[in-house]
């Protein structure tokens, strides 16, 4: 069996139609680091596999609580358990579950955690905020309740990480609900766009009117300042006016 291979370090069997239980002996060789069984139809979780660093089990039918074996995985840096039917809680007071304080304090390199779209409930443990390496976490679309902790790594998580948990509350949820409301109603953005368009139209009309008035004023001022008068050329010399004067006297 694959689970009993003594030198198995990486196992990637994603996007197949595997069903049933993940073999309990998988990883007991102490060398398995990367496990990807995502997008299958598996229903049961892992046993105790101490050597794992990256676990991808999303898009399956895993049920029950988060596997107890995960408590003892201090080398983990990535965990994907999204889109399953996992239930139970992550309470700090429940020693058998994954994220109780004694175990979570031993996890120093976990930086990605995805628990979205399951049926996990009760509160999100405050101790998760103490995991200094954890920069991305997704708790969305579960049944979590209570207040989202406001310290430590929680300040780094995106507000959408808590979406789809109607009974959660806290400042992160207030931001999320504001954006969610305007996204679905569309009232605020529509009103803003309408006002902006009207303002732009009015400014354009004012600018065009001012330009026309300025052009007419400039044309009028130019016509008043300068006039060209045509004179007929006279056909006589300088001495001719004097001759006419003498002729008149003789007459």
């Amino acid at each position: 069996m694959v689970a009993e291979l003594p030198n198995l370090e990486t196992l990637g069997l994603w996007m197949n139609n595997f069903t049933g239980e993940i073999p309990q002996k998988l990883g007991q060789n102490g060398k398995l680091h990367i496990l990807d069984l995502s997008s299958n139809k598996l229903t049961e979780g892992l046993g105790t596999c101490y050597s794992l660093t990256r676990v991808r089990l999303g898009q399956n039918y895993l049920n029950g609580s988060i596997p107890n074996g995960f408590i003892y995985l201090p080398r983990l840096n990535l965990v994907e358990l999204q889109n399953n039917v996992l239930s139970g809680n992550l309470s700090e007071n429940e020693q058998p579950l994954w994220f109780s304080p004694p175990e979570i304090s031993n996890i120093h390199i976990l930086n990605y955690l995805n628990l979205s779209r399951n049926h996990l409930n009760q509160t999100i443990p405050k101790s998760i905020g103490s995991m200094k390496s954890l920069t991305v976490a997704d708790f969305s679309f579960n049944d979590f309740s209570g207040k989202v902790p406001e310290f430590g790594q929680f300040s780094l998580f995106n507000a959408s990480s808590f979406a789809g948990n109607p009974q959660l509350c806290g400042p992160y949820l207030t931001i999320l609900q504001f954006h969610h409301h305007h996204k679905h109603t569309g009232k605020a953005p529509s009103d803003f766009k309408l006002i902006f368009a009207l303002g732009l139209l009015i400014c354009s009309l004012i600018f065009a009117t001012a330009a026309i008035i300025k052009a007419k004023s400039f044309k009028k001022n130019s016509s008043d300042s300068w006039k060209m008068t045509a004179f007929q050329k006279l056909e006589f010399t300088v001495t001719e006016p004097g001759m006419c004067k003498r002729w008149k006297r003789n007459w």
Side-chain angles (χ1 to χ4, degrees):
M1 293 180 61
V2 174
E4 298 177 355
L5 294 175
N7 297 314
L8 182 64
E9 296 182 0
T10 300
L11 180 60
L13 298 173
W14 65 92
M15 297 185 70
N16 283 284
N17 288 307
F18 293 119
T19 59
E21 182 179 355
I22 298 172
Q24 295 294 314
K25 293 183 179 181
L26 186 63
Q28 290 186 3
N29 64 357
K31 297 182 179 180
L32 183 62
H33 301 300
I34 300 174
L35 177 65
D36 191 344
L37 299 177
S38 58
S39 301
N40 281 286
K41 299 178 181 178
L42 300 168
T43 57
E44 299 293 334
L46 286 170
T48 303
C49 185
Y50 300 97
S51 57
L52 283 174
T53 59
R54 301 173 71 86
V55 178
R56 287 189 165 99
L57 294 175
Q59 291 86 39
N60 276 287
Y61 296 98
L62 298 178
N63 56 67
S65 300
I66 291 179
N68 290 336
F70 277 50
I71 298 174
Y72 308 102
L73 302 179
R75 299 178 184 178
L76 277 177
N77 59 61
L78 180 145
V79 176
E80 293 181 353
L81 295 174
Q82 74 278 7
N83 290 88
N84 281 286
V85 287
L86 295 169
S87 59
N89 61 73
L90 304 178
S91 173
E92 296 171 327
N93 299 320
E94 294 292 336
Q95 192 70 18
L97 294 178
W98 187 15
F99 281 134
S100 56
E103 285 75 23
I104 199 170
S105 62
N106 294 325
I107 301 176
H108 300 292
I109 61 175
L110 182 64
N111 53 57
Y112 182 89
L113 173 65
N114 192 341
L115 302 176
S116 64
R117 299 186 182 278
N118 281 283
H119 301 291
L120 300 170
N121 53 49
Q122 296 190 25
T123 60
I124 298 175
K126 295 180 181 179
S127 53
I128 291 178
S130 301
M131 301 177 68
K132 301 302 182 182
S133 60
L134 186 60
T135 56
V136 179
D138 193 344
F139 306 98
S140 63
F141 298 98
N142 279 281
D143 297 316
F144 290 115
S145 58
K147 187 176 182 180
V148 177
E150 301 178 32
F151 76 98
Q153 300 305 103
F154 283 99
S155 63
L156 302 178
F157 302 155
N158 193 292
S160 61
S161 299
F162 309 101
N165 292 279
Q167 299 183 61
L168 276 179
C169 60
Y172 300 120
L173 276 299
T174 303
I175 297 173
L176 178 64
Q177 289 170 357
F178 175 80
H179 290 293
H180 179 76
H181 172 74
H182 290 305
K183 180 179 179 181
H184 286 274
T185 60
K187 291 182 179 180
S190 298
D191 293 343
F192 176 78
K193 291 179 180 178
L194 179 60
I195 294 173
F196 180 78
L198 289 175
L200 188 62
L201 178 61
I202 292 172
C203 290
S204 300
L205 291 174
I206 293 174
F207 179 79
T209 303
I212 293 172
I213 294 174
K214 184 68 176 178
K216 289 183 176 180
S217 176
F218 179 78
K219 184 177 181 181
K220 182 179 179 181
N221 292 336
S222 298
S223 60
D224 292 341
S225 299
W226 297 93
K227 285 187 177 181
M228 182 176 291
T229 303
F231 293 93
Q232 185 176 0
K233 184 178 180 181
L234 300 177
E235 299 295 336
F236 58 83
T237 62
V238 176
T239 57
E240 285 179 352
M243 293 177 63
C244 291
K245 184 177 181 180
R246 287 195 301 270
W247 180 80
K248 183 177 182 183
R249 287 178 180 179
N250 293 333
W251 177 260

